[in-house]
Amino acid sequence: MSTSTSPQHTGPHPSDQSAVTVLGLGPMGRALAGAFLDAGLRTTVWNRTPGRDAELTARGAVGAGSPEEAAAASGLVVVCVVNQDAADGILRREAVAGALRGRTVVNLTADTPQRTRATADWAAAHGIRYLDGAIMTPNTTIGTPDAVFLHSGPEELYREHRPVLAALGGTHTHLGEDIGRAAAYDIALLDVFWTAMAGYAHALAVARAEGITGRELAPFAQGIAAILPPIFAQTAEEADSGGHSGKDNPITSAASSMAHIVEASEGHGIDAGVMRAAEGWARRVIGLGHGTDGFIRITELLGRR
Ligand code: NDP
C-alpha cells in the first residue's frame, strides 16, 4: 500500500529498510534506539520532553523537532511510551497520522489487547500499516541475545520488517494475525510476574517479622522459584486438558498450607489479603466437590471455557 507520491512523504521511501524512527525515549525507547544505531540504521528519534535524545544524537541519531517530522523520516516507526493512551496521543494527532500514511507502525508500548485492537482499527482507517509487539525482558537486554520480543498482526508485514526488528537482538516470535495477541500474552505473563513479586514482597515482610533478613531468605526463595518451571509445564497440560490430578498434592493440602501463611502473617499484623483471596479460591473449589484435584483446578473456577 505504498503512497510514495503523497506530499507527506518527505523522507525515505516507506519500504526503505535502512531507516527507522523511535517515538518515546524513556529507558526502553532509548535502549531500542541505541540498538538500531548499533546496527547501523539511520535512526530518527523524538520524545515529548525535549533533551532525552542527547546521548543518542551524540551517537549519530537524528533528533526530530516534532513527532510528524520523526514519522516522515522512516518507513518503519516504532512507538514505545508508557501506555496506549500516551501512544494514541502521539499517533492520532492529525499531522502525525498524515505523515504515517503508507508507513508501518510497530507499537512496542505495553497495554491491553482491547486498546491495541482499537488503535489497530484506527490505523487501518487511516491507511497506516500496523503491528503490535510486547517486550518481555528489561531494557538492559535490548540488543543482546537475552531480549525477548512477541509480535502480532499481519504476517506479511511482520516478515517485511523482520530484518530491521532483528537489530534489537534476542528472539522474536510472531504469535499470529490477531493484532491483540502479543498484548494478551504480555498481560498473562505480567500476571505471573507481578503476582510472584507481590508474593515475594509479602514473604520478605513476614520473614522480617520473624527476624529473618532478606539476604538470609533470598537463596531459599530462589530455590522455590527454581521448582516452578516444571510445575508450570505440567499444570498447563492439566489446564488445557481439564484433567486435574491431585494425586501427589491435592488442593485440600494447598488450602491448609495457605491458611498457615494467613494466620502467621496476621499474627504479626501483616495484611494477608492476597493469600486470603487465593485460599478463598481453593476453598470454593473444595466446596464444589473437587478437593482431590490439584491446585490448578482453580483455573476452571476463574476462567469458564
Ligand atoms: P515508561 O513506561 O516510564 O515510559 C516513558 C516514556 O513514555 C517517555 O518517553 C515519556 O515521555 C512517555 N510518555 C509518558 N506519558 C506520555 C504522554 N502523555 N505523551 C507522550 N509521551 C508520554 O518507561 P519505559 O521507556 O521503560 O517503558 C516504555 C514501555 O516499554 C512501557 O509500555 C513499558 O511497560 C514497556 N517495557 C519497559 C521495560 C523496561 O525494562 N523499562 C520492559 C518491558 C516493557 P516523557 O519523557 O516526555 O515523559
Side-chain angles (χ1 to χ4, degrees):
M1 200 199 297
S2 169
T3 56
S4 57
T5 53
S6 161
Q8 280 129 359
H9 285 166
T10 53
H13 189 275
S15 64
D16 183 348
Q17 297 283 333
S18 64
V20 64
T21 286
V22 178
L23 301 175
L25 299 175
M28 185 53 90
R30 289 200 298 274
L32 299 171
F36 287 134
L37 281 173
D38 288 343
L41 293 159
R42 183 175 187 278
T43 305
T44 301
V45 294
W46 176 84
N47 189 64
R48 176 184 62 170
T49 305
R52 301 254 153 87
D53 61 358
E55 196 192 320
L56 293 162
T57 53
R59 290 172 56 195
V62 178
S66 68
E68 53 269 29
E69 185 188 323
S74 315
L76 179 62
V77 177
V78 173
V79 57
C80 188
V81 288
V82 64
N83 56 32
Q84 192 60 43
D85 278 349
D88 285 343
I90 301 167
L91 300 175
R92 298 193 189 205
R93 292 186 203 183
E94 199 178 333
V96 178
L100 287 172
R101 195 169 180 80
R103 303 179 193 278
T104 300
V105 170
V106 174
N107 188 0
L108 297 178
T109 301
D111 213 308
T112 65
Q114 295 88 338
R115 284 169 188 265
T116 299
R117 292 186 185 110
T119 299
D121 288 346
W122 169 86
H126 287 77
I128 299 164
R129 307 195 303 165
Y130 193 79
L131 287 167
D132 196 61
I135 308 170
M136 303 317 309
T137 50
N139 60 325
T140 48
T141 65
I142 305 305
T144 79
D146 294 334
V148 175
F149 295 87
L150 305 178
H151 301 276
S152 53
E155 183 159 6
E156 201 180 322
L157 195 56
Y158 171 71
R159 283 185 195 281
E160 182 183 327
H161 294 288
R162 179 74 181 78
V164 174
L165 296 172
L168 299 175
T171 59
H172 294 256
T173 306
H174 183 253
L175 298 166
E177 300 249 338
D178 169 11
I179 194 76
R181 201 160 167 84
Y185 270 69
D186 190 37
I187 290 292
L189 295 170
L190 291 175
D191 191 351
V192 176
F193 181 75
W194 286 119
T195 308
M197 289 304 292
Y200 191 43
H202 192 267
L204 289 169
V206 174
R208 181 185 293 169
E210 288 286 346
I212 302 164
T213 65
R215 189 172 293 177
E216 287 171 316
L217 189 72
F220 297 97
Q222 286 168 7
I224 292 288
I227 67 173
L228 290 175
I231 294 176
F232 280 4
Q234 188 199 326
T235 53
E237 298 282 342
E238 291 177 11
D240 286 350
S241 69
H244 298 285
S245 165
K247 191 166 68 68
D248 295 325
N249 196 356
I251 196 164
T252 45
S253 171
S256 169
S257 168
M258 289 189 284
H260 299 154
I261 298 164
V262 169
E263 185 182 331
S265 305
E266 293 180 350
H268 285 297
I270 295 170
D271 185 300
V274 172
M275 190 55 63
R276 271 192 178 279
E279 186 196 346
W281 297 337
R283 300 270 177 222
R284 277 167 63 197
V285 166
I286 295 164
L288 289 168
H290 304 297
T292 56
D293 282 0
F295 182 77
I296 220 73
R297 176 91 204 191
I298 286 172
T299 305
E300 305 299 322
L301 182 84
L302 298 176
R304 299 256 171 255
R305 273 189 251 212

